[in-house]
Coordinates of all heavy atoms in Angstrom, one line a residue:
I64 N 3.0 3.3 3.5 CA 3.7 4.7 3.6 C 5.0 4.4 2.9 O 5.7 3.4 3.1 CB 3.8 5.2 5.0 CG1 4.4 6.6 5.1 CG2 4.6 4.2 6.0 CD1 4.2 7.3 6.4
S65 N 5.5 5.4 2.1 CA 6.8 5.2 1.4 C 8.0 5.6 2.4 O 8.0 6.5 3.2 CB 6.9 6.2 0.3 OG 8.1 6.2 -0.3
L66 N 9.0 4.8 2.3 CA 10.2 4.9 3.0 C 11.4 5.4 2.1 O 12.4 5.6 2.5 CB 10.7 3.8 3.9 CG 9.5 3.2 4.8 CD1 9.9 1.8 5.5 CD2 9.1 4.2 5.8
N67 N 11.0 5.5 0.9 CA 12.0 5.9 -0.1 C 12.4 7.3 0.0 O 11.5 8.1 0.3 CB 11.3 5.6 -1.6 CG 12.2 5.9 -2.7 OD1 12.6 7.2 -2.9 ND2 12.6 4.9 -3.5
A68 N 13.6 7.7 -0.2 CA 14.1 9.0 0.1 C 13.4 10.0 -0.9 O 13.0 11.1 -0.5 CB 15.6 9.1 -0.3
E69 N 13.0 9.6 -2.1 CA 12.4 10.6 -3.1 C 10.8 10.8 -2.9 O 10.4 11.8 -3.1 CB 12.6 10.1 -4.5 CG 14.1 10.1 -4.9 CD 14.3 9.5 -6.4 OE1 13.2 9.4 -7.1 OE2 15.4 9.2 -6.7
T70 N 10.2 9.8 -2.2 CA 8.8 9.8 -1.9 C 8.5 9.6 -0.5 O 7.3 9.4 -0.1 CB 8.1 8.8 -2.8 OG1 8.6 7.5 -2.5 CG2 8.2 9.1 -4.4
Y71 N 9.4 9.8 0.5 CA 9.2 9.6 1.8 C 8.0 10.2 2.4 O 7.7 11.4 2.1 CB 10.5 10.2 2.6 CG 10.5 9.7 4.0 CD1 10.9 8.4 4.3 CD2 10.1 10.5 5.0 CE1 11.1 7.9 5.6 CE2 9.9 10.0 6.4 CZ 10.6 8.8 6.7 OH 10.5 8.5 7.9
G72 N 7.1 9.4 3.1 CA 5.9 9.9 3.7 C 4.8 9.9 2.9 O 3.6 10.0 3.4
N73 N 4.8 9.6 1.5 CA 3.7 9.6 0.7 C 2.9 8.4 1.0 O 3.5 7.3 1.4 CB 4.1 9.5 -0.8 CG 4.6 10.9 -1.3 OD1 4.5 11.9 -0.7 ND2 5.3 10.8 -2.5
I74 N 1.6 8.4 1.0 CA 0.8 7.3 1.3 C 0.1 6.7 0.0 O -0.3 7.5 -0.8 CB -0.4 7.8 2.3 CG1 0.1 8.6 3.5 CG2 -1.2 6.7 2.6 CD1 1.0 7.7 4.4
Y75 N 0.1 5.4 -0.1 CA -0.3 4.7 -1.3 C -1.3 3.7 -1.0 O -1.2 3.0 0.0 CB 0.9 4.1 -2.0 CG 2.0 5.1 -2.5 CD1 3.0 5.4 -1.8 CD2 1.8 5.5 -3.8 CE1 3.9 6.3 -2.3 CE2 2.8 6.4 -4.4 CZ 3.8 6.8 -3.5 OH 4.7 7.7 -4.0
F76 N -2.3 3.5 -1.9 CA -3.3 2.4 -1.8 C -2.7 1.3 -2.8 O -2.4 1.4 -3.9 CB -4.6 2.8 -2.5 CG -5.6 1.8 -2.4 CD1 -6.2 1.3 -1.3 CD2 -6.0 1.2 -3.7 CE1 -7.1 0.3 -1.3 CE2 -6.9 0.2 -3.6 CZ -7.6 -0.2 -2.5
C77 N -2.5 0.2 -2.2 CA -2.0 -1.0 -2.8 C -3.0 -2.1 -3.2 O -3.4 -2.8 -2.2 CB -0.8 -1.6 -1.9 SG 0.1 -3.0 -2.7
N78 N -3.5 -2.1 -4.3 CA -4.6 -3.0 -4.7 C -3.9 -4.4 -5.0 O -3.2 -4.5 -6.1 CB -5.4 -2.5 -6.0 CG -6.6 -3.3 -6.2 OD1 -6.6 -4.5 -6.0 ND2 -7.6 -2.6 -6.7
H79 N -4.3 -5.4 -4.3 CA -3.8 -6.8 -4.4 C -4.2 -7.5 -5.8 O -3.8 -8.5 -6.2 CB -4.1 -7.6 -3.3 CG -5.4 -8.1 -3.2 ND1 -6.4 -7.3 -2.6 CD2 -6.0 -9.2 -3.6 CE1 -7.5 -8.0 -2.7 NE2 -7.4 -9.2 -3.3
E80 N -5.2 -7.0 -6.4 CA -5.7 -7.5 -7.6 C -5.2 -7.0 -8.9 O -5.3 -7.6 -10.0 CB -7.2 -7.3 -7.7 CG -8.1 -8.0 -6.6 CD -9.4 -8.1 -6.7 OE1 -10.0 -7.6 -7.7 OE2 -10.1 -8.3 -5.7
Y81 N -4.3 -6.0 -8.9 CA -3.7 -5.5 -10.1 C -2.2 -5.4 -9.9 O -1.6 -4.9 -9.0 CB -4.2 -4.1 -10.4 CG -5.8 -3.9 -10.6 CD1 -6.6 -3.6 -9.6 CD2 -6.2 -4.4 -11.8 CE1 -7.9 -3.6 -9.8 CE2 -7.5 -4.3 -12.1 CZ -8.4 -4.0 -11.1 OH -9.8 -4.0 -11.3
E82 N -1.5 -5.9 -11.0 CA 0.0 -5.9 -11.0 C 0.5 -5.5 -12.3 O -0.2 -5.8 -13.3 CB 0.5 -7.4 -10.6 CG 0.1 -8.4 -11.6 CD 0.7 -9.8 -11.1 OE1 0.0 -10.5 -10.5 OE2 1.7 -10.1 -11.7
D83 N 1.6 -5.1 -12.3 CA 2.4 -4.8 -13.5 C 2.7 -6.0 -14.3 O 3.3 -7.0 -13.8 CB 3.6 -4.0 -13.2 CG 4.4 -3.5 -14.5 OD1 4.9 -4.4 -15.3 OD2 4.4 -2.3 -14.7
A84 N 2.2 -6.1 -15.5 CA 2.5 -7.4 -16.3 C 4.0 -7.7 -16.5 O 4.4 -8.9 -16.6 CB 1.8 -7.3 -17.6
E85 N 4.8 -6.7 -16.7 CA 6.3 -7.0 -16.8 C 7.0 -7.2 -15.7 O 7.8 -8.2 -15.7 CB 6.7 -5.6 -17.6 CG 6.3 -5.4 -18.9 CD 7.0 -4.2 -19.6 OE1 8.0 -3.7 -19.0 OE2 6.3 -3.6 -20.6
T86 N 6.8 -6.5 -14.6 CA 7.6 -6.8 -13.3 C 6.9 -7.7 -12.3 O 7.5 -8.2 -11.4 CB 7.9 -5.4 -12.7 OG1 6.6 -4.8 -12.3 CG2 8.6 -4.5 -13.7
G87 N 5.5 -7.7 -12.3 CA 4.8 -8.5 -11.4 C 4.6 -7.8 -10.1 O 4.1 -8.3 -9.1
T88 N 5.0 -6.4 -10.1 CA 4.8 -5.7 -8.8 C 3.4 -5.2 -8.7 O 2.8 -5.0 -9.6 CB 5.8 -4.5 -8.8 OG1 5.6 -3.8 -9.9 CG2 7.2 -4.9 -8.7
L89 N 2.9 -5.1 -7.6 CA 1.6 -4.6 -7.2 C 1.5 -3.1 -7.8 O 2.5 -2.3 -7.6 CB 1.1 -4.7 -5.9 CG 1.0 -6.1 -5.3 CD1 0.6 -6.1 -3.8 CD2 0.0 -6.9 -6.1
L90 N 0.4 -2.8 -8.3 CA 0.3 -1.4 -8.7 C -0.3 -0.5 -7.5 O -1.1 -1.0 -6.8 CB -0.7 -1.2 -10.0 CG -0.2 -2.0 -11.2 CD1 -1.3 -1.8 -12.2 CD2 1.0 -1.4 -11.7
M91 N 0.3 0.6 -7.3 CA -0.1 1.5 -6.2 C -0.5 2.8 -6.6 O 0.1 3.3 -7.6 CB 1.1 1.5 -5.2 CG 1.6 0.2 -4.6 SD 2.7 0.2 -3.4 CE 3.8 1.5 -3.8
D92 N -1.5 3.3 -6.0 CA -2.0 4.7 -6.3 C -1.6 5.6 -5.1 O -2.1 5.3 -3.9 CB -3.5 4.7 -6.6 CG -3.9 3.9 -7.8 OD1 -3.3 4.1 -8.9 OD2 -4.8 3.1 -7.7
K93 N -1.1 6.7 -5.4 CA -0.9 7.7 -4.3 C -2.1 8.4 -3.9 O -2.9 8.8 -4.7 CB 0.1 8.8 -4.9 CG 0.5 9.9 -3.8 CD 1.4 10.9 -4.4 CE 1.6 12.1 -3.4 NZ 2.6 13.0 -4.0
I94 N -2.4 8.4 -2.6 CA -3.6 8.9 -2.1 C -3.4 10.1 -1.1 O -4.2 10.8 -0.9 CB -4.4 7.9 -1.3 CG1 -3.7 7.2 -0.2 CG2 -4.9 6.8 -2.3 CD1 -4.5 6.2 0.6
A95 N -2.2 10.3 -0.7 CA -1.8 11.5 0.1 C -0.3 11.8 0.1 O 0.5 10.8 -0.1 CB -2.4 11.2 1.5

Side-chain angles (χ1 to χ4, degrees):
I64 190 166
S65 174
L66 304 175
N67 179 294
E69 294 178 17
T70 58
Y71 189 83
N73 288 344
I74 308 295
Y75 294 89
F76 178 75
C77 183
N78 189 326
H79 74 276
E80 294 184 14
Y81 297 100
E82 65 178 85
D83 184 291
E85 292 180 19
T86 65
T88 57
L89 295 178
L90 298 180
M91 301 189 322
D92 294 311
K93 181 178 172 183
I94 56 175

